[in-house]
Amino acid sequence: MAPKPKEKPKAAASPSQPPPSIEDLFTSLNRHIQRSEFTQAVKVANQVLSAAPGDEDAIRCKVVALIKADKIEEALSAIQSAQKVSFDFSFYKAYCLYRQNKLDEALELLEKQDKTQPSMLLESQILYRLGKMDACVDICRNLQRAKIDSLEINLVAGLVSAGRASEVQGTLEAIKIKATSSFELAYNIACSLIEGNKLKDAEQLLLTARRIGQETLTEENLADDDIENELAPIAVQLAYVHQLLGQTQEAVGSYTDIINRNLADEPSLAVAVNNLIAVKGPKDISDSLRKLDRLKEKDSQKFELAHAIDLKLSPKQKEPIYANRVLLLLHANKMDQARELVSVLPEMFPDSVMPVLLQAAVLVRENKAGKAEEMLGQFAETFPEKSKIILLARAQVAAAAGHPQIAAESLAKVPDIQHMPATVATLVTLKERAGDINGAAAVLDSAIKWWKSAMTEDNQLGVIMREAASFKLKHGKEEEASQLYEELVKSHGDIEALVGLITTVARANVEKAEAYEKQLKPLPGLKGVDVDALEKTSGAKPVDSASRGGLADAQEDGKTKEKPKKKRKRKPRYPKGFDPANPGPPPDPERWLPKRERSSYRPKRKDKRAAQVRGSQGAVVRDKSEPNAPATNSNTSNPKSNQATSSKGASQNAEPSRPQSKSSRKKSRK
């Protein structure tokens, strides 16, 4: 192969040739920016700065081009080197910090700046990423008059994430925008319908969003893979709707298909993996753990979400992924890993109660229920605004551990559910189990008092009073029980209460019981029964011993006269492959006896030479005529016996090794 000819060196620019002017460089810079050639734009900006150091426009173009080229570190370096310039680069620096997920630093920097439209938009994005949805919605509402393009998409996403999905429809009507104006807006509105449990409407809107997105992105000449990645959130949300509708097989198929395609849209992949694990539950734990391992940082030994996933998912979406990881580790009995992961969750989600609940679950799994109860109680006292779910969890742990008093105490600290029938029944049972009968009665009295003053359509007063009367009657408080029954009869006309009242009052006041008995309606079919004649009958009489004997004899005679029942003949069941016509030889009748007890047993013949051996194994017997004969080594005298001994010892010490037994949803595309 012939060598390539060497390129001729380029002629050096003649010293007389002037460098390009600043105007020509800015013209070239503008041309590169218009063509989105950001790397070339940075080079031209550097040429401008070499000719005119400190030029503000050149620095700004360079910083923006570096940001557009995703060179965030270099953009920050350029901003840092331009400190002597009078232009304020705080907004660009805040945006770079936002891109690096340094959200608190970026927000702190923006708060010191004037409230311009770009800064307010960036602030709303940072607040959304931080999970401060209400503040994000307020900023978006303030920007509505500015008529910023696609602002409604962010506004709807903020409302849904803030739990204010009911306001979405009114907001759209106020700004006069159709739900199908873009596929992103249709997707976010579908999320609001899911929050409102309008699943069929959400499904139809998601299908429409997918169709609109397919048409829009095709017109923009995007490749098929890019279109699939852009529409991945819609596919995941459709699978979630099918999951909520009870179409589990279809949802599992969709999730599996999304995971197998290994989409470049990593947040959608993470949501699909998490939802699939939630559907499968504790089934196939090892496979679920492997799927979660695909989401973590590759070089990290601990479970940490990959940077791209961690950057784009909100805390509300990341929390269920970590929670499911802990639960899978508990099911797999990997306590060390679960304990290690749980220890870092409070720092990652400081505003959530989920880390505390997971810590309690780990302690319960380690049979440390008392420590879990103590930890939950301390957290409830420290953060009373978050104590409801914590106290309910503490009550469950205590009840399962056999601590009814602690469970009742925890339930009693949740004031807004004390009157609910389920809570009342649980409290009464717990206090009754703990031996506090008066406390249980006090719970019932308090619930009755609450329902008497409650103005609700679904009033549970009758149910509570009936159960309270039954409880008090059971524990000997008959007077209080009769008062409750009487009140029920007068206010509700309850037939069951009337029966209970008659039964209770009859023990102390028969006349009053008879008066209430007249209110009972006659049962159908009793008119044909002569009650007076029934009362005149003697009824059953006691039987003496003589008559008992005659009665017994008569019963025996009756038994003898009865015809014996014929037993149904059943065909015998033979073993598989057995032919009764050719049964073969009969089985050995002594097959169940030990061998030594069978008639065919013959003991082994003893070796007569063994009787001559005395002493330890391998020793040689000396003749009396040789008293001073040296003892020979057992290894040389009896190698076979030594070999047997060694193999026997090895079989006793070696053991075979035993194997040890082993939602979030994506709301928006910001």
Side-chain angles (χ1 to χ4, degrees):
M1 182 175 180
K4 294 182 179 179
K6 295 183 179 179
E7 295 182 359
K8 295 182 179 180
K10 294 182 180 179
S14 60
S16 61
Q17 184 178 0
S21 63
I22 298 295
E23 290 79 4
D24 293 339
L25 289 174
F26 269 109
T27 302
S28 177
L29 179 61
N30 182 58
R31 182 173 63 253
H32 288 309
I33 292 175
Q34 293 295 330
R35 295 176 180 177
S36 299
E37 298 171 353
F38 301 114
T39 304
Q40 298 297 326
V42 172
K43 293 179 180 179
V44 176
N46 287 331
Q47 293 179 6
V48 174
L49 291 173
S50 63
D55 189 287
E56 293 182 2
D57 293 333
I59 296 174
R60 288 173 60 188
C61 290
K62 180 181 178 180
V63 170
V64 173
L66 287 170
I67 292 174
K68 290 285 188 180
D70 290 333
K71 298 178 180 180
I72 306 301
E73 287 289 346
E74 295 182 21
L76 282 173
S77 300
I79 294 171
Q80 189 70 21
S81 62
Q83 289 182 349
K84 297 180 181 180
V85 182
S86 60
F87 183 78
D88 187 8
F89 285 93
S90 298
F91 173 76
Y92 297 101
K93 185 177 181 180
Y95 182 80
C96 290
L97 293 173
Y98 163 73
R99 290 287 300 274
Q100 290 181 333
N101 208 30
K102 299 177 181 179
L103 304 178
D104 293 325
E105 297 180 30
L107 187 60
E108 183 180 357
L109 196 60
L110 282 177
E111 289 175 350
K112 299 177 182 178
Q113 306 301 314
D114 296 333
K115 297 296 182 181
T116 61
Q117 288 184 12
S119 65
M120 291 175 69
L121 271 175
L122 180 58
E123 185 179 357
S124 68
Q125 293 278 9
I126 294 171
L127 290 171
Y128 184 90
R129 191 76 64 80
L130 288 170
K132 300 177 180 180
M133 302 304 174
D134 291 325
C136 172
V137 169
D138 293 340
I139 293 176
C140 290
R141 288 194 185 280
N142 293 333
L143 289 171
Q144 281 182 0
R145 296 179 182 177
K147 296 182 179 180
I148 299 174
D149 188 26
S150 302
L151 179 65
E152 67 277 359
I153 297 175
N154 292 359
L155 178 57
V156 173
L159 287 172
V160 175
S161 300
R164 297 159 59 180
S166 58
E167 302 177 21
V168 170
Q169 190 62 34
T171 302
L172 292 176
E173 293 174 357
I175 60 181
K176 297 179 181 180
I177 291 183
K178 294 182 179 180
T180 56
S181 60
S182 66
F183 71 91
E184 296 98 333
L185 182 60
Y187 168 80
N188 286 345
I189 295 173
C191 293
S192 71
L193 293 174
I194 294 173
E195 291 291 326
N197 203 28
K198 299 177 181 178
L199 302 179
K200 287 293 184 181
D201 296 339
E203 182 182 15
Q204 294 301 319
L205 191 55
L206 285 171
L207 293 173
T208 304
R210 185 169 64 182
R211 178 180 54 79
I212 296 173
Q214 189 78 30
E215 295 172 357
T216 304
L217 298 175
T218 303
E219 292 175 359
E220 295 178 2
N221 296 324
L222 264 71
D224 292 340
D225 292 342
D226 295 335
I227 294 175
E228 189 177 14
N229 289 328
E230 287 290 330
L231 301 180
I234 300 177
V236 174
Q237 201 72 329
L238 266 173
Y240 179 68
V241 171
H242 294 152
Q243 177 183 342
L244 294 180
L245 288 171
Q247 302 170 6
T248 306
Q249 295 296 330
E250 189 172 352
V252 169
S254 300
Y255 289 140
T256 306
D257 182 56
I258 293 169
I259 295 169
N260 292 338
R261 280 185 288 172
N262 200 14
L263 299 176
D265 185 48
E266 294 177 327
S268 298
L269 178 64
V271 174
V273 169
N274 181 73
N275 289 3
L276 179 61
I277 291 171
V279 172
K280 291 169 62 178
K283 298 179 181 178
D284 202 357
I285 299 171
S286 58
D287 179 67
S288 298
L289 288 172
R290 282 195 298 270
K291 284 183 169 58
L292 278 179
D293 287 338
R294 295 175 57 180
L295 308 181
K296 74 174 187 178
E297 200 71 41
K298 292 183 179 179
D299 299 332
S300 176
Q301 297 296 329
K302 301 179 182 179
F303 183 77
E304 297 176 356
L305 289 177
H307 181 70
I309 298 175
D310 186 69
L311 190 65
K312 295 182 180 180
L313 290 183
S314 66
K316 188 177 179 181
Q317 293 170 318
K318 288 186 285 188
E319 186 182 56
I321 297 177
Y322 283 97
N324 283 337
R325 175 77 177 187
V326 174
L327 295 177
L328 287 174
L329 291 173
L330 291 179
H331 281 295
N333 203 26
K334 297 182 178 181
M335 302 305 300
D336 293 337
Q337 297 182 33
R339 201 180 301 110
E340 181 183 6
L341 183 56
V342 160
S343 63
V344 300
L345 293 184
E347 184 178 353
M348 296 175 62
F349 309 104
D351 298 330
S352 175
V353 299
M354 183 60 70
V356 183
L357 295 174
L358 292 174
Q359 286 177 346
V362 172
L363 290 173
V364 171
R365 187 70 173 77
E366 294 175 338
N367 295 325
K368 299 177 181 178
K371 193 172 181 180
E373 295 166 12
E374 182 181 356
M375 182 192 66
L376 293 172
Q378 292 176 355
F379 185 89
E381 293 177 0
T382 308
F383 302 98
E385 70 279 1
K386 305 176 184 177
S387 62
K388 181 176 180 179
I389 190 171
I390 296 295
L391 290 171
L392 291 174
R394 184 171 183 252
Q396 183 177 3
V397 171
H403 305 151
Q405 192 62 39
I406 297 177
E409 175 191 345
S410 300
L411 273 182
K413 291 181 180 179
V414 187
D416 56 341
I417 63 170
Q418 295 301 303
H419 60 281
M420 300 302 294
T423 307
V424 173
T426 305
L427 278 171
V428 169
T429 303
L430 290 171
K431 288 184 176 293
E432 189 177 14
R433 190 178 298 173
D436 187 8
I437 304 302
N438 294 330
V443 170
L444 291 166
D445 294 339
S446 177
I448 291 171
K449 183 179 178 181
W450 192 94
W451 283 107
K452 282 183 178 179
S453 59
M455 303 296 293
T456 59
E457 296 180 0
D458 186 21
N459 199 308
Q460 303 290 332
L461 180 60
V463 177
I464 300 292
M465 289 181 67
R466 194 180 303 113
E467 295 300 326
S470 176
F471 175 82
K472 293 185 177 183
L473 184 62
K474 174 184 176 182
H475 292 282
K477 300 181 179 182
E478 298 177 355
E479 185 176 353
E480 297 179 19
S482 62
Q483 291 176 0
L484 290 171
Y485 279 133
E486 190 170 5
E487 188 175 352
L488 270 173
V489 171
K490 292 180 179 179
S491 59
H492 295 77
D494 194 338
I495 299 299
E496 293 183 13
L498 180 59
V499 174
L501 176 60
I502 295 171
T503 306
T504 307
V505 174
R507 303 180 183 182
N509 192 340
V510 179
E511 296 178 357
K512 189 175 182 179
E514 290 178 349
Y516 279 111
E517 186 268 337
K518 294 178 181 179
Q519 299 181 19
L520 290 174
K521 296 180 180 179
L523 293 175
L526 288 180
K527 293 182 179 180
V529 178
D530 189 353
V531 180
D532 295 334
L534 189 62
E535 289 181 350
K536 291 179 182 179
T537 58
S538 57
K541 294 183 179 179
V543 183
D544 54 5
S545 58
S547 59
R548 273 188 207 145
L551 181 60
D553 295 339
Q555 289 178 352
E556 290 179 1
D557 294 340
K559 288 181 181 179
T560 55
K561 292 179 182 178
E562 290 179 359
K563 295 181 180 180
K565 294 181 179 179
K566 294 182 179 179
K567 292 184 179 181
R568 186 175 61 180
K569 294 183 179 180
R570 295 186 180 182
K571 295 181 179 180
R573 297 180 63 183
Y574 298 108
K576 187 176 180 181
F578 178 76
D579 185 8
N582 300 310
D588 185 7
E590 298 180 351
R591 62 188 181 280
W592 305 118
L593 295 176
K595 286 186 177 181
R596 66 181 62 187
E597 296 181 9
R598 299 180 188 179
S599 58
S600 60
Y601 175 72
R602 295 292 181 271
K604 292 183 180 180
R605 184 177 180 182
K606 293 183 180 180
D607 191 358
K608 296 181 179 180
R609 292 174 295 177
Q612 300 176 1
V613 179
R614 296 291 185 270
S616 60
Q617 183 177 3
V620 178
V621 181
R622 301 176 184 175
D623 284 340
K624 294 181 180 180
S625 59
E626 300 177 3
N628 297 326
T632 57
N633 193 338
S634 61
N635 292 335
T636 57
S637 63
N638 197 354
K640 291 185 179 181
S641 62
N642 186 37
Q643 183 180 0
T645 306
S646 302
S647 62
K648 181 179 180 182
S651 65
Q652 288 176 348
N653 295 329
E655 292 186 5
S657 60
R658 300 181 182 178
Q660 295 182 354
S661 62
K662 307 222 184 197
S663 352
S664 72
R665 305 188 301 278
K666 186 175 181 183
K667 296 286 185 184
S668 66
R669 299 175 61 255
K670 297 282 285 181

Short mmCIF file of all heavy atoms in Angstrom, two decimals, residues 15 91 107 139 213 437 481 486 494 546:
data_model
loop_
_atom_site.label_atom_id
_atom_site.label_comp_id
_atom_site.label_asym_id
_atom_site.label_seq_id
_atom_site.Cartn_x
_atom_site.Cartn_y
_atom_site.Cartn_z
N PRO A 15 2.34 38.97 7.85
CA PRO A 15 2.19 39.96 8.91
C PRO A 15 1.45 41.20 8.45
O PRO A 15 0.89 41.92 9.25
CB PRO A 15 3.64 40.27 9.30
CG PRO A 15 4.46 39.86 8.12
CD PRO A 15 3.76 38.73 7.50
N PHE A 91 -28.36 35.76 37.10
CA PHE A 91 -29.41 34.90 36.55
C PHE A 91 -28.80 33.68 35.84
O PHE A 91 -29.27 32.56 36.00
CB PHE A 91 -30.28 35.70 35.57
CG PHE A 91 -31.27 34.86 34.83
CD1 PHE A 91 -32.43 34.41 35.45
CD2 PHE A 91 -31.04 34.49 33.51
CE1 PHE A 91 -33.34 33.62 34.76
CE2 PHE A 91 -31.95 33.69 32.82
CZ PHE A 91 -33.10 33.27 33.45
N LEU A 107 -31.93 29.03 44.25
CA LEU A 107 -33.07 29.80 44.76
C LEU A 107 -32.60 30.97 45.61
O LEU A 107 -33.17 32.08 45.53
CB LEU A 107 -33.97 28.87 45.57
CG LEU A 107 -35.30 29.46 46.05
CD1 LEU A 107 -36.15 29.89 44.86
CD2 LEU A 107 -36.05 28.44 46.90
N ILE A 139 -46.53 31.68 41.56
CA ILE A 139 -45.71 32.40 40.59
C ILE A 139 -46.31 32.27 39.19
O ILE A 139 -46.36 33.24 38.41
CB ILE A 139 -44.26 31.88 40.62
CG1 ILE A 139 -43.61 32.25 41.95
CG2 ILE A 139 -43.45 32.46 39.47
CD1 ILE A 139 -42.20 31.70 42.12
N GLY A 213 -49.44 14.03 19.97
CA GLY A 213 -47.98 14.04 20.07
C GLY A 213 -47.33 13.36 18.88
O GLY A 213 -46.30 13.82 18.37
N ILE A 437 -62.47 -1.79 81.81
CA ILE A 437 -63.88 -1.82 81.40
C ILE A 437 -64.48 -0.42 81.48
O ILE A 437 -65.23 0.00 80.58
CB ILE A 437 -64.68 -2.80 82.28
CG1 ILE A 437 -64.04 -4.20 82.23
CG2 ILE A 437 -66.13 -2.86 81.83
CD1 ILE A 437 -63.94 -4.79 80.87
N ALA A 481 -77.77 0.08 80.44
CA ALA A 481 -78.14 -0.56 79.18
C ALA A 481 -79.62 -0.36 78.88
O ALA A 481 -80.00 -0.06 77.74
CB ALA A 481 -77.82 -2.05 79.24
N GLU A 486 -84.06 2.10 75.89
CA GLU A 486 -85.30 2.87 75.95
C GLU A 486 -85.20 4.13 75.09
O GLU A 486 -86.15 4.50 74.40
CB GLU A 486 -85.60 3.24 77.41
CG GLU A 486 -86.98 3.83 77.62
CD GLU A 486 -87.32 3.95 79.09
OE1 GLU A 486 -86.45 3.67 79.93
OE2 GLU A 486 -88.47 4.34 79.39
N ASP A 494 -86.56 1.39 67.10
CA ASP A 494 -85.77 0.23 66.71
C ASP A 494 -86.36 -1.04 67.34
O ASP A 494 -86.51 -1.13 68.56
CB ASP A 494 -84.32 0.43 67.17
CG ASP A 494 -83.37 -0.55 66.50
OD1 ASP A 494 -83.84 -1.60 66.04
OD2 ASP A 494 -82.16 -0.26 66.46
N ALA A 546 -87.15 -46.28 87.98
CA ALA A 546 -87.81 -47.45 87.42
C ALA A 546 -88.24 -47.19 85.99
O ALA A 546 -88.07 -48.02 85.09
CB ALA A 546 -89.03 -47.83 88.28
#
